[in-house]
């Protein structure tokens, strides 16, 4: 039966998302930054919201996520938590706030105290010890592989990652090690769909794709892209406001199209 968006009935937990992966039911994630949008996400049945450090660009006008501070993240996590009582709230840890496991523990504590249910960190196997440190102490972790925007200067730009076999193998290995270390979710950004499919099949944690094809366990888009606010939108995004004409409608259409396997299609996908 086609999916029709409805308000979340009860709070979404890590266990809810694991169960959805096991049942082959896709979940919806939106990166957003304020209370009214967070409330609308809850009404639309969006299972997870991400207070992304993309707010550096989408809200604060920086040209990367690198200048974003802990104080800015905390301010926006608190706003989202006030607007939404049911979606699982993930809070991004900003650039260089988790360079060591101890530093990660101190800063993740602050994001959780601001109202997040999980923190997100960007990077590969070098973060396995940090994932253990946080998850052993009761802080769920979302890992982030592929295009990791905080490393833009190391990567040489915002480009698709894992296109050759060697790099794909490294990302696959990173995913396996983070899964083994106890990560709870994994964002895969701008990787070929075939690689995202392989990773989704081998890891126990649910995967959330953005520019990673349709075979991940969930999709995430940035609210500014959904609403057509981005001057040069990325290939993997879609302006849902264009066809719906209002904000609640755009969010509903995004949710419907993901759940019904319509979004993303080949035009939003890298191979
Ligand atoms: O910061 C962010 O919004 C993100 C998503 C694009 C995955 O990391």
């Amino acid at each position: 039966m086609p999916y029709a968006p409805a308000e979340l009935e009860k709070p979404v937990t890590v266990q809810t998302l694991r169960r959805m992966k096991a049942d082959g039911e896709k979940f919806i994630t939106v990166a957003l930054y304020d209370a009214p949008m967070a409330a609308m996400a809850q009404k639309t049945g969006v299972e997870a919201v991400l207070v992304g450090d993309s707010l550096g660009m989408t809200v604060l006008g920086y040209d990367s996520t690198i200048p974003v501070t802990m104080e800015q993240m905390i301010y926006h996590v608190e706003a989202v938590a006030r607007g939404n009582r049911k979606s699982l709230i993930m809070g991004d840890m900003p650039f260089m706030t988790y360079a060591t496991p101890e530093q990660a523990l101190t800063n993740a504590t602050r994001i959780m105290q601001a109202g997040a249910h999980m923190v997100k960190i960007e990077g590969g196997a070098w973060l396995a010890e940090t994932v253990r440190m946080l998850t052993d102490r009761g802080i769920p972790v979302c890992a982030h592989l592929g295009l990791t925007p905080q490393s833009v200067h190391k990567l040489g730009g915002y480009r698709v990652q894992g296109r050759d076999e060697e790099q794909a193998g490294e990302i696959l290995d990173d995913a396996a090690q983070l899964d083994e270390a106890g990560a709870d979710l994994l964002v895969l950004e701008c990787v070929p769909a075939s690689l995202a499919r392989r990773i989704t099949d081998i890891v126990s944690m649910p995967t959330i794709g953005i520019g990673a094809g349709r075979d991940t366990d969930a999709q995430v888009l940035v609210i500014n892209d959904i609403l057509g606010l981005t001057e040069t939108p990325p290939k993997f995004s879609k302006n849902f406001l264009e066809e719906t004409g209002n904000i609640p409608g755009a969010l509903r259409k995004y949710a419907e199209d993901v759940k019904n396997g319509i979004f993303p299609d080949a035009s939003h996908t890298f191979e």
Side-chain angles (χ1 to χ4, degrees):
M1 209 180 12
Y3 166 86
E7 173 144 20
L8 291 171
E9 279 172 19
K10 48 186 185 175
V12 175
T13 65
V14 174
Q15 287 71 24
T16 317
L17 302 182
R18 282 199 178 254
R19 212 164 38 239
M20 290 178 82
K21 175 177 177 116
D23 293 347
E25 187 187 341
K26 294 205 182 293
F27 61 90
I28 314 295
T29 308
V30 179
L32 47 76
Y33 321 100
D34 60 34
M37 284 297 170
M40 202 174 289
Q42 173 176 314
K43 275 215 165 78
T44 312
V46 171
E47 283 93 355
V49 296
L50 167 66
V51 187
D53 62 351
S54 51
L55 66 85
M57 287 123 101
T58 54
V59 179
L60 301 175
Y62 298 128
D63 62 5
S64 79
T65 58
I66 291 173
V68 174
T69 63
M70 278 297 295
E71 286 64 35
Q72 288 162 343
M73 286 308 306
I74 286 168
Y75 179 85
H76 286 277
V77 169
E78 284 176 348
V80 167
R82 281 192 288 268
N84 185 322
R85 304 269 158 203
K86 302 246 177 86
S87 307
L88 183 128
I89 300 173
M90 295 185 261
D92 248 336
M93 296 196 55
F95 181 64
M96 235 25 90
T97 62
Y98 51 96
T100 66
E102 292 71 22
Q103 190 193 20
L105 184 60
T106 304
N107 289 316
T109 302
R110 294 183 67 201
I111 302 265
M112 297 296 284
Q113 287 175 336
H117 307 124
M118 181 180 288
V119 297
K120 180 164 84 57
I121 52 182
E122 297 181 7
W126 70 272
L127 282 172
E129 196 187 334
T130 299
V131 169
R132 267 190 212 99
M133 167 78 110
L134 298 179
T135 54
D136 283 353
R137 286 158 183 78
I139 300 180
V141 175
C142 177
H144 184 155
L145 292 172
L147 171 55
T148 47
Q150 291 175 11
S151 306
V152 59
H153 298 304
K154 181 78 179 155
L155 300 175
Y158 296 100
R159 328 159 169 242
V160 180
Q161 301 295 306
R163 276 203 144 131
D164 62 70
E165 257 316 302
E166 189 184 337
Q167 213 188 41
E170 278 167 24
I171 297 174
L172 201 69
D173 189 51
D174 283 339
Q177 291 197 47
L178 293 165
D179 195 40
E180 170 72 28
D184 296 278
L185 292 177
L186 173 62
V187 166
L188 291 168
E189 179 165 353
C190 288
V191 296
S194 54
L195 175 59
R197 193 178 314 126
R198 278 162 73 194
I199 293 172
T200 300
D201 286 346
I202 64 153
V203 296
S204 62
M205 61 187 157
T207 59
I208 307 176
I210 176 161
R214 62 164 60 163
D215 294 324
T216 48
D217 299 307
Q219 296 290 327
V220 57
L221 278 186
V222 169
I223 190 72
N224 293 48
D225 292 341
I226 293 175
L227 301 182
L229 295 171
T230 313
E231 211 170 306
T232 320
K235 167 188 160 90
F236 56 73
S237 74
K238 184 170 172 189
N239 174 351
F240 286 90
L241 188 77
E242 215 164 36
E243 57 184 289
T244 55
N246 63 75
I247 296 176
L251 215 49
R252 269 202 305 275
K253 181 82 177 114
Y254 164 58
E256 261 169 25
D257 282 5
V258 170
K259 294 266 188 184
N260 295 329
I262 294 167
F263 177 83
D265 66 23
S267 69
H268 311 111
T269 300
F270 304 105
E271 261 316 341

